[in-house]
């Protein structure tokens, strides 16, 4: 488990901190398929973080999910990136078919190791699914993971008892799990941007 003090200290952002932009795809606009979402400002904040990374020359990884039979099916408009990230210059583009960006093509872990990167920032969709899974795996692999909880969103989901859990509650649960168990440092977009521009 990571040293507790590091998670309570002011955010320190490395000059080569890698931004991992996860699944910001048009298919997530299909609310008839996905259901009720949280955080309507997520895309605006995703764009602001991405702009800061491009402005400071930090590396960007763009991830797309290939979800056959879903609104994220390759070859359909839903697979394409949302306009807020579509024009960004990515240092690496990954496609995946499972939740973690570490199980995609090309190999994210190998690429990070080649660069000597030790710090990751994850943003995108969905908070408690691909974002959380990537953050957990990144933490287990020894990376310093930063998780700006308001630069992402998720959807309401039904539990095994049939009760639907609101999207905002799922996001809070993700924040608590990642923070308490030290998988990632959970921050706000405001904190992240202040660190990125101050240390850029």
């Amino acid at each position: 488990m990571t040293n507790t003090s590091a998670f309570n200290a002011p955010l320190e952002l490395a000059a080569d901190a890698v931004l991992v932009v996860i699944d910001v795809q048009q298919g997530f606009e299909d609310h008839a398929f996905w259901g009720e979402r949280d955080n309507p400002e997520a895309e605006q904040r995703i764009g602001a973080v991405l702009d800061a990374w491009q402005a400071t020359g930090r590396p960007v990884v763009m991830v797309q999910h290939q979800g056959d039979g879903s609104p994220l099916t390759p070859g359909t408009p839903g697979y394409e990136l949302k306009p807020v990230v579509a024009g960004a210059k990515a240092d690496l583009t990954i496609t995946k078919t499972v939740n973690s960006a570490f199980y995609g093509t090309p190999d994210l872990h190998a690429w990070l190791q080649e660069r000597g990167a030790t710090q990751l920032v994850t943003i995108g969709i969905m908070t408690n699914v691909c974002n959380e899974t990537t953050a957990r795996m990144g933490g287990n692999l020894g990376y310093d993971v930063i998780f700006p909880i308001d630069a992402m969103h998720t959807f309401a989901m039904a539990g095994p008892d049939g009760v639907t859990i609101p999207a905002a509650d799922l996001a809070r649960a993700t924040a608590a799990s990642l923070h308490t168990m030290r998988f990632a440092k959970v921050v706000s977009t405001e904190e992240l941007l202040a660190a990125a521009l101050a240390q850029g």
Side-chain angles (χ1 to χ4, degrees):
M1 188 177 293
T2 306
N3 189 304
T4 302
S5 62
F7 285 81
N8 297 321
L11 178 59
E12 293 185 8
L13 198 63
D16 64 346
V18 177
L19 181 66
V20 184
V21 184
I22 300 175
D23 305 347
V24 185
Q25 293 167 253
Q26 295 184 37
F28 284 116
E29 293 297 316
D30 186 349
H31 299 297
F33 183 89
W34 300 105
E36 170 263 330
R37 66 169 278 183
D38 68 337
N39 194 13
E41 293 81 26
E43 285 81 0
Q44 177 184 345
R45 292 176 180 137
I46 288 167
V49 173
L50 185 55
D51 286 347
W53 250 252
Q54 305 268 260
T56 58
R58 290 182 171 95
V60 173
V61 174
M62 196 69 65
V63 183
Q64 281 176 275
H65 190 86
Q66 298 180 337
D68 290 338
S70 81
L72 307 179
T73 300
T76 70
Y79 179 72
E80 301 305 319
L81 296 172
K82 290 189 178 187
V84 69
V85 301
K89 177 185 179 297
D91 297 272
L92 179 70
T93 299
I94 292 174
T95 58
K96 63 181 179 62
T97 58
V98 294
N99 306 120
S100 176
F102 284 97
Y103 285 121
T105 305
D107 186 302
L108 176 59
H109 182 48
W111 184 82
L112 293 169
Q113 293 291 290
E114 288 171 4
R115 295 182 66 93
T118 60
Q119 191 176 63
L120 308 180
V121 177
T122 59
I123 61 175
I125 308 170
M126 296 187 275
T127 308
N128 60 320
V129 185
C130 296
N131 292 14
E132 181 176 351
T133 304
T134 300
R136 284 174 179 263
M137 190 167 177
N140 282 170
L141 287 169
Y143 294 101
D144 176 19
V145 181
I146 311 300
F147 200 83
I149 190 69
D150 57 350
M152 54 189 75
H153 78 81
T154 190
F155 299 91
M157 298 180 184
D161 58 0
V163 175
T164 297
I165 302 171
D169 290 350
L170 293 171
R172 282 193 291 271
T174 287
S177 295
L178 294 180
H179 171 77
T180 301
M181 301 312 296
R182 312 307 183 202
F183 288 107
K185 185 175 180 68
V186 180
V187 301
S188 68
T189 298
E190 183 179 10
E191 290 175 273
L192 179 65
L193 292 177
L197 297 175
Q199 302 163 24

